[in-house]
Amino acid sequence: MSRGLWIGSLLTALMLGLALLSLVWTPYPYEQLDIPNKLMPPSLTHPLGTDHFGRDILSMIMVGIRTSMGVAIVAVAIGLAFGIPLGLLASQRKGGWIDEVIMRTNDVIFAFPLLAMAILITAVFGPSATNAIVAFGIFNIPVFARVTRGGALSLWEREFIFAARVAGKSRLRISAEHILPNILGILIVQGTIQFALGIQVEAALSFVGLGVQPPTPSLGRMLADAQTLVTIAPHIAIFPGLAIITIVVGLNLMGDGLRDWLDPRLRVVRA
Amino acid sequence: QSDITIALQLEPPHLDPTSAAAQAIDSVVYTNVFEGLTRFMGDGSIVPGLAESWEVSEDGKTYTFKLREGVAFHDGAPMSAEDVKFSLDRARAEDSANAQKALFDGIAEVTVLDPASVQLTLDEPNGSLLFNLAWGDAVIVSEASIADIKTNPVGTGAYKFAEWVQGDRIDLTRNDAYWGDAPALESATFKFISDPTAAFAAVMAEDVDVFDNFPAPENLPQFEADPRFQVLVGSTEGETILSTNNKQQPFDDLRVRQAIAHAIDRQAIIDGAMFGYGTPIGSHFAPHNPAYVDLTGNSPHDPDKARALLAEAGHPEGFETTLHLPPPSYARRGGEIIAAQLAEVGITAEIINVEWAQWLESVFKGKNFGLTIVSHTEPMDIGIYARPDYYFQYDNPEFQTLMETLNTTTDPGERDALLQQAQQIISEDYVNGYLFQLAKLGVAKAGVQGLWLNAPTAAIDLTGVSWSE
Amino acid sequence: MSLLEITGLSVSIAGKPILRNVDLSVAKGEIVAVTGESGSGKSMTAFSVMQLLPENAEIGGAIQLDGTELTALPEAQLCAMRGARIGMVFQEPMSALNPVKTIGDQVVETILIHGALPRDQARAHAHEMLSRVGLPPDQFSPTRFPHELSGGQRQRVVIAMAIALRPDLLIADEPTTALDVTTQAQILDLLKGLVSEFDMGLLMITHDLAVVSDMADRIVVMRAGEVVETGPTRQLFARMNHPYTRMLFEASRHSVELPEKHGAEALLSVQDVVRAYRLPRTKLFGPAEYHRAVDGVNFTLRKGERLGLVGESGCGKSTLTRAILGLEPVQGGQILLNDAPVYTERGADLAVRRGMQVVFQDPFGSFNPRHRVARLITEPYHLLDAPPTGAERADAIAEALRAVGLSPDDARKYIHEFSGGQRQRIAIARALIIKPDLILFDEAVSALDVSVRARILDLVAELCESHDLSYLFISHDLSVVRTITDRVLVMRAGRIVEEGETELVFSNPRHPYTQALIAAAPVLPDIDIDHRSHPHV
Amino acid sequence: MLRYTLKRLISLMLSLAVASLVIFAVIEIAPGDPAQFMLGVNAQPDTLAALRAELGLDTSKPDRYLAWVGGMLQGDFGTSYTYRTPVAGMIADRLWVSLPLTIYALVISILLAFPAGIYAASRRGRIGDAAMMGTTQLGVAIPNFWFAMMLVLVFAVNLRWFNAGGFPGWDKGLRTGLHALTLPAIALALPQASILARVMRSALLDVLGEDFMRTARAKGLSRGQAIWRHGLRNALIPVLTIIGLQVSFLLAGAIIIEQVFYLPGLGRLIFQAINARDLIVVESVVMLLVFVVITVNFMVDLAYAVVDPRLRTRT
Ligand SMILES: Nc1ncnc2c1ncn2[C@@H]1O[C@H](COP(=O)(O)OP(=O)(O)OP(=O)(O)O)[C@@H](O)[C@H]1O
Ligand SMILES: Nc1ncnc2c1ncn2[C@@H]1O[C@H](COP(=O)(O)OP(=O)(O)OP(=O)(O)O)[C@@H](O)[C@H]1O
Ligand SMILES: [Mg+2]
Ligand SMILES: [Mg+2]
């Protein structure tokens, strides 16, 4: 394992750990208001200070990481759940009409700038975490479909797939047995990348009020709240921002590291 | 310096004050471009506008207005009684797009007596007619320019419309043919900055001279401390209330509404959401009004009492409801605080952030809500409690009769008494949660003088504004 | 004094020794061939001369070109040297050219960067060079891009680039390995002509002993980074002091004894088969056009018969294989195995497929790297209605592995734990496990070193004995087909042009194409090793 | 080349047609009546009906769709419900902010990314490479709006080098305009530049491993020359894809950055329009964004063909 992978996994584990810890313990209840003590700079009692309602920022960040990660994970899961089967299906009959339809649909989805799509969806169904998830999930589908199809297409030309076909296995079965396990690597890598992107998208959507709704803290929402206060209490903007950066750097390092680690060319050399 | 740049939060959708509810229109054009027969002053008083004087008949049903001499529209055409008739008839017509048509409800006829006098005949006496005619929705427009009034407004005011760069600014220039005293400033620019951060930055960078209704109260202390600026804290006509759906379970139970009133800590909301700016209110009435009575004592912060009332009403474990929050920060921030306060007494209020359009659709029209926070900024609007179909659906015949009496009463003393009685009724019925009177928070460069401190109506009256040395 | 003088060259990469104490010299006008099996360090030697070793390489010893020590030369002077005094031609003509520049520009560039000629003259000179390598500008416009040329033509461009400034030394690393035999013969002729014309030294690298014997004045044999034997071609072939050289030689012309064939019933019958690929449309409207990769092929393979199929790259061999396997529909004719069609409306017929298995070319790509050998070789069990389970299955696996010369313990390993030759054995085990009537070998030994290839051929011959195989053996390598089949088909552009008993076809080809093919194939000198004295033994 | 172009063009048209349908359908089911919004809480039913008729909200959906699409084809995007001015004009005004901002950001992004990527690739594995990659790793992770907030805090509020927001208009001079767009463009560009630099680096590294690079060295080109003459153009192919994608990211990112810096661009227009239920504006702006993205992809496809001659004959 490379140094990048180590650092990335460590950062990710740290943030994940904070998120999980928040399920059972936070320094203060994150929803507890203490208005007389609002906008306190970091101190011993509140290591990261308090926000404009006097809530403990550390506690909110811990819960916020949980929310943001949750949103991103579900959105990635949606992308995986629909994208992989579609990509596999398209690759089974390259150039066939199924392939055409799937790929053209993907093109159209791709043509919508993510944010425009999110705005449209929230304009119709109102802002909520669920809608943010759906918007980003839909955006993820063509991403995974493309990666799956791309990886699968080259595999379908490989001789071991021919061998499996000679053994009489159906395309569906070959997809499950041979194709999928062999593209798992790139899917995992893409997954971490989309996960990191999801954190950023959640933050952006919540920042403009289209994502997670109060009182649930999310990193983006904390930044939105902090926007007008940044001049008088910079700490309430800086810490959630750093949390986002840490998660994303961690995930990206992990993704890059995994890619190098899983790359078959390098694997052969190691073996 | 003879020009001024004034920042507003919202850009007007167009510039016809007589066919939209948007306050931003009034902010730009009221008294500057368009004038009415009467007008508001900064202290809320009503003074003659284009009408020099008026006479009221004995029965209070006929008003005869004497118009000022030598008034001309910006296009040069003289303003006459015909224009007044045209404007008022247009506003009250069947197919009128006037957003406040109710203002003209009692008017039976508008008659031109001579070019300088107009007579209004009413169905019955109306104590608030002069007040109603002062509204921006009742300004006098010219028939010749009515077709493109929305993009090129032509009025009689001290300033002429010059340019509108949509999304950015509107320029006005001095009308040298103005009938009244020539204003000090030669030109004015209205810039639109809704974003609180940008607002702060724009003021700090001295890009704007005045920020009317500064959107981020949290930043005001910084301006206070800075000798370059003055902070103008006044009052608006906005009663900020926790509107309650009186017809919906469990809010149809007085005890539940009372419990909510006791669950709320007004001062925490004012401190947390408004950074201390705002006056607590205990009823739907502006504290600066002479008829105001302080009824906050009816609903002090008392969670124990709230819990007890809930238990009494059959909700010992509390209940769940929704809290719709429109965009302004008093609602969004206040809502978060209220949700937390309600949670303390067991009420779970799910926060639903909505845009104004959705708020109008689902809350105001659809009455599909439990609780919502909104600031009622129309002046003297306690009358809405007499409308059972109004969105909070308060239906009290006693109150309705009271309002009818008020409408036909012209004696100021009697009117005050009736108004105080009305405040008592709704306060004791805990119709809504009464939070605070919205403060008018303005920031201006130190040298600017003559700005309105309060906002009896949405307006930035430039006629009195000037630069000191 | 030689042109190129390498003495005591050692190279190590990341601490791992790659070359050890290599001595080698090339004189003006001389062709020196370096040969040896894959990984023996041939290319590294060439790169050492060019001073283009990987960055983490450490180099020791001396390389002198005309008395100039190259290992000590600063980079700027090396740049001036490369391309002007030393030219180089690489193995893969497909990727050795920049795909986004025209061939003319790429040749001109060599001339321009060395400032040899002003721009317009450089262009004229480049055209001259292109003509010299057989690409006259009036027929092959220099404004073409590499992808618009065939492999052989691209290799000519690379050669034109390398000789544009008439270097003293030309290095050619496997210049013809990727080409068809006929093209190979032309390129080799071209190189030979250039050497005598320009009086260059040519350091040629190839693993093919037959090519070596045709071309080289002197031969250097390498093994595992060391030179094991060197000498003038005739002498070296005559003596073959080192057992490794002898082994290479023997393996290169390895032949096997096939058992007598028997049986006359038709096993596989291919009748008028057409496989057409739809071409991308060239007109927006109008009928689609097709490329007939297999165009009316007819033949029958009888039980117990070993049939060969030869032909140049792209002639349709693999396409035919896929059609026979029932992996793709055909557009005309039919293919019957044991009188049943392999492909029906509903796709392939499993019952028919049971009768066939296949061994592919690429020992690395033929297996799912995530499965163990046991699972890999039992994949064809999927064709059986009731595949064996438990102990019976384990026995079958052990037996198949033993049959191909591996140990039953290997069943638990992953594929990356095996060498190329072993993998090919596993591929054969996989083909054998359901005891098919017919096996298709598609270039099954083409990617292997000669010694490994010899052993696999032996294995196939053995299996013919023990398992009574019938197979279709597909290869572009004539010498292999000659020894491992009874009958042979010669294919060209989708059609069978000649068919007959293998020996007959090879000794007396009738079709001009077959004749050209056989004539172009380089041959080893006819030396009988057994009758020679063995100085070491 | 012509056929290639035509094929792309047809696919472009199809995508646009589908996109327009989707947008229209989505907007149509959005709750919120524009007329009600404009007239406010005290509006009376007859007034509302009159306004609805005036806005053309009382015709059938297919009619409205056809009118919308038909109009757009002739450059007529309809009339804004709230502003009562032609949408095309409003969009054009806003484009004069959004487009220069996007291009400015793209230029910054490319100017930063190319040298950084080339530098890192040429020093692969050394300290310069590691430092550059570490920096870009951070750059990729920073949310652009957060970065924007920090830029405002430092350069506008504390140092007062720039204004924290607003746009004075191009009529105040090119320099003033660019000055106002500088912070937003930097905020937008930095994350994108990081991505681009990484892509540039890995594309170059891939190309460096290609056989023709060895051929180039064997000709006598130095390492740098080989990269410059043979590497870059080949590496450009994946880089182009990313640049194409970035246009859509930048445009979308501009929506948020315009909020932070209060720029009167398309992004703010779309938020304003949504809040005001000015549906025709929302539809048209989203359609325009989609159009830009699809067109940029189309141009990237064409650019491929320019860069890569193999695509000119192949389809
Ligand atoms: N970049 C590299 N890093 C480390 N080892 C390398 C590198 N390139 C080649 N080698 C090793 O150096 C040895 C010699 O390789 P070389 O390419 O010279 O062999 P070759 O004789 O040309 O083989 P082939 O016939 O397959 O081309 C091999 O063991 C190979 O694995
Ligand atoms: N899927 C396909 N689509 C279009 N054309 C194809 C396809 N597969 C093969 N071809 C074409 O069919 C012809 C025959 O290809 P095939 O792979 O059968 O040749 P081959 O004789 O096996 O060559 P090689 O020796 O290089 O393996 C070639 O011209 C090839 O370009
Ligand atoms: Mg009004
Ligand atoms: Mg009021």
Side-chain angles (χ1 to χ4, degrees), chain C residues 301 305-311 317 321 359 428 438-446 453 456-457 460 470-477 479-489:
Chain C
L301 191 152
E305 189 175 36
R306 279 84 43 150
L307 183 62
L309 176 65
V310 294
K317 304 185 294 287
T321 314
V359 178
I428 294 173
L438 174 68
I439 298 183
L440 282 79
F441 291 93
D442 187 358
E443 305 272 12
V445 296
S446 304
R453 185 174 77 191
I456 295 289
L457 291 178
V460 173
S470 312
Y471 56 75
L472 178 64
F473 198 102
I474 296 161
S475 179
H476 67 273
D477 189 332
S479 63
V480 170
V481 172
R482 186 169 192 170
T483 169
I484 200 86
T485 63
D486 311 314
R487 210 154 60 85
V488 68
L489 310 167

Side-chain angles (χ1 to χ4, degrees), chain A residues 226-250:
Chain A
Q227 215 192 342
T228 57
L229 298 162
V230 66
T231 49
I232 37 179
H235 69 273
I236 72 169
I238 289 174
F239 293 120
L242 289 182
I244 294 176
I245 294 173
T246 313
I247 303 178
V248 176
V249 165

Side-chain angles (χ1 to χ4, degrees), chain B residues 17 20-23 26 98-100 103 135-137 378 457-458:
Chain B
Q23 297 202 5
D26 284 357
N98 197 297
Q100 305 288 348
L103 291 176
W135 284 49
D137 305 80
E378 276 83 26
T457 188

Side-chain angles (χ1 to χ4, degrees), chain C residues 47 50 52 55 75 79-80 82-84 86 88 90 92 95-101 106-107 109-110 113-114 145 147-148 158 161 280-284, chain D residues 3 6-7 10 122 124 126 210-223 225 229-231 233-234 237 307-315:
Chain C
F47 291 144
M50 294 299 287
L52 285 177
E55 294 211 352
E75 180 62 24
C79 283
R82 291 184 202 123
I86 318 174
M88 184 151 181
F90 297 96
E92 277 293 334
S95 53
L97 290 171
N98 185 342
V100 304
K101 289 198 163 189
Q106 298 195 50
V107 178
E109 188 180 32
T110 312
I113 50 174
H114 292 286
F145 287 96
H147 71 275
E148 296 167 313
V158 178
M161 259 160 52
R281 285 170 179 274
T282 46
K283 300 190 195 72
L284 264 187
Chain D
R3 257 178 38 68
L6 263 175
K7 203 176 152 185
I10 291 174
S122 63
R124 172 182 203 171
R126 304 211 205 131
E210 294 275 353
D211 286 349
F212 63 79
M213 290 303 286
R214 226 172 31 189
T215 311
R217 293 299 308 279
K219 272 182 190 175
L221 291 170
S222 70
R223 226 185 125 79
Q225 279 175 318
R229 294 184 181 208
H230 295 273
R233 192 148 159 214
N234 281 287
I237 294 168
V307 174
D308 188 345
R310 287 167 291 189
L311 283 175
R312 286 176 220 165
T313 40
R314 215 199 289 152
T315 41

